[in-house]
Amino acid sequence: MAAVPSSKLLGKCVASPTGKHSASVIFLHGSGDTGRGVRAWVKEVSVPDLAFPHIRVVYPTAPARPYTPMRGALSNVWFDRYKISHDCLEHLESIDAMANSLGAVIQEEIRAGVPKHRMIIGGFSMGGAMALHLACRYHPDVAGVFALSSFLNKDSVVYQAVEERARAGSPLPELFQGHGTGDELVFHKWGEETTALLKKAGMTTTFHSFPGLQHQLSRPEIELLRSWILTKLRPDSLDASGQ
């Protein structure tokens, strides 16, 4: 297995706030994409843009690594998969290594003055799955997590982590999930099952279906996501006063 590069080598694209930076969103791209690529895609489909006066949106780029579903060819992926299916084991070694690397991105936001309860982590496709591992297993004190056209393997360790925290009465982030009914790569039923199992484990979840949407982002989805982000990361009093 190829070594995963250090977190310091992760490239990223940033949409800076127009005012005082008091909250952050970390948006993880899908397999084979880049932070700059998903940032451009978001701008293309969303009106208004997914930009905010007080929130910095960070789009990291996964390092190139051998990817088993592509017969070992190099691809910008957050972790390896044995196959693209909800009915197989997770590649935990690569997931956990990348969780540690992405932890450095979170620490950068903390050093910029943003506490974790003022952060949301999410992503598209594989990025959404990576975000669920990050938010539910490593950083459950974030404000929320979103997963677009994403799924977790049906025996994912995330379910156990959520159940253990819920049983202990520990806080868990709220999940926003969106999925197209026409998705032929990550089936809509996989997304529905992910939400159902997370809810059963004790997580607060919201699942939005988009009729006919394939494995892609859409304007209605980003509009709903934007509204949800603003309910979780409201401007603080200083932001509102413009000071």
Side-chain angles (χ1 to χ4, degrees):
M1 177 183 299
V4 176
S6 164
S7 59
K8 294 181 179 179
L9 300 180
L10 292 182
K12 63 179 181 291
C13 177
V14 175
S16 298
T18 56
K20 179 179 178 289
H21 176 208
S22 65
S24 297
V25 170
I26 298 171
F27 196 131
L28 306 179
H29 61 77
S31 61
D33 202 354
T34 63
R36 191 169 297 278
V38 75
R39 166 66 180 136
W41 194 10
V42 167
K43 285 188 71 172
E44 180 181 335
V45 302
S46 50
V47 179
D49 186 18
L50 193 66
F52 308 88
H54 63 294
I55 302 172
R56 175 157 66 188
V57 186
V58 181
Y59 299 87
T61 294
R65 61 163 298 134
Y67 189 42
T68 299
M70 293 175 55
R71 299 183 179 181
L74 291 177
S75 186
N76 292 94
V77 291
W78 298 111
F79 52 88
D80 199 9
R81 294 186 189 277
Y82 295 107
K83 59 181 178 178
I84 301 175
S85 170
H86 77 315
D87 192 17
C88 68
L89 294 175
E90 294 176 305
H91 199 291
L92 280 177
E93 181 181 355
S94 57
I95 291 172
D96 292 345
M98 185 51 62
N100 289 331
S101 295
L102 284 166
V105 178
I106 294 170
Q107 288 301 318
E108 286 179 16
E109 298 307 298
I110 292 173
R111 288 194 294 272
V114 177
K116 279 200 276 188
H117 71 267
R118 294 282 292 166
M119 292 186 206
I120 285 174
I121 304 171
F124 174 77
S125 195
M126 175 185 276
M130 187 72 236
L132 284 166
H133 278 273
L134 272 174
C136 298
R137 297 175 57 215
Y138 288 88
H139 305 281
D141 42 351
V142 296
V145 56
F146 64 89
L148 312 177
S149 303
S150 304
F151 75 100
L152 289 173
N153 299 49
K154 69 177 186 179
D155 293 322
S156 174
V157 296
V158 172
Y159 301 126
Q160 180 181 349
V162 169
E163 188 173 348
E164 289 175 354
R165 287 192 65 82
R167 191 184 304 122
S170 302
L172 284 161
E174 180 182 328
L175 169 64
F176 174 104
Q177 198 165 352
H179 214 120
T181 62
D183 195 330
E184 296 182 352
L185 179 63
V186 175
F187 296 116
H188 182 265
K189 64 181 180 181
W190 295 356
E192 284 186 310
E193 182 179 283
T194 296
T195 283
L197 290 174
L198 287 171
K199 185 175 290 187
K200 181 180 179 182
M203 198 169 184
T204 300
T205 69
T206 305
F207 186 86
H208 301 275
S209 294
F210 298 90
L213 183 68
Q214 298 179 355
H215 194 64
Q216 60 193 107
L217 298 174
S218 71
R219 178 175 174 179
E221 184 177 42
I222 296 299
E223 287 177 347
L224 278 176
L225 176 63
R226 176 186 173 85
S227 297
W228 177 78
I229 287 172
L230 286 171
T231 66
K232 307 301 293 181
L233 301 178
R234 298 180 184 276
D236 61 27
S237 57
L238 288 181
D239 296 332
S241 66
Q243 297 176 9

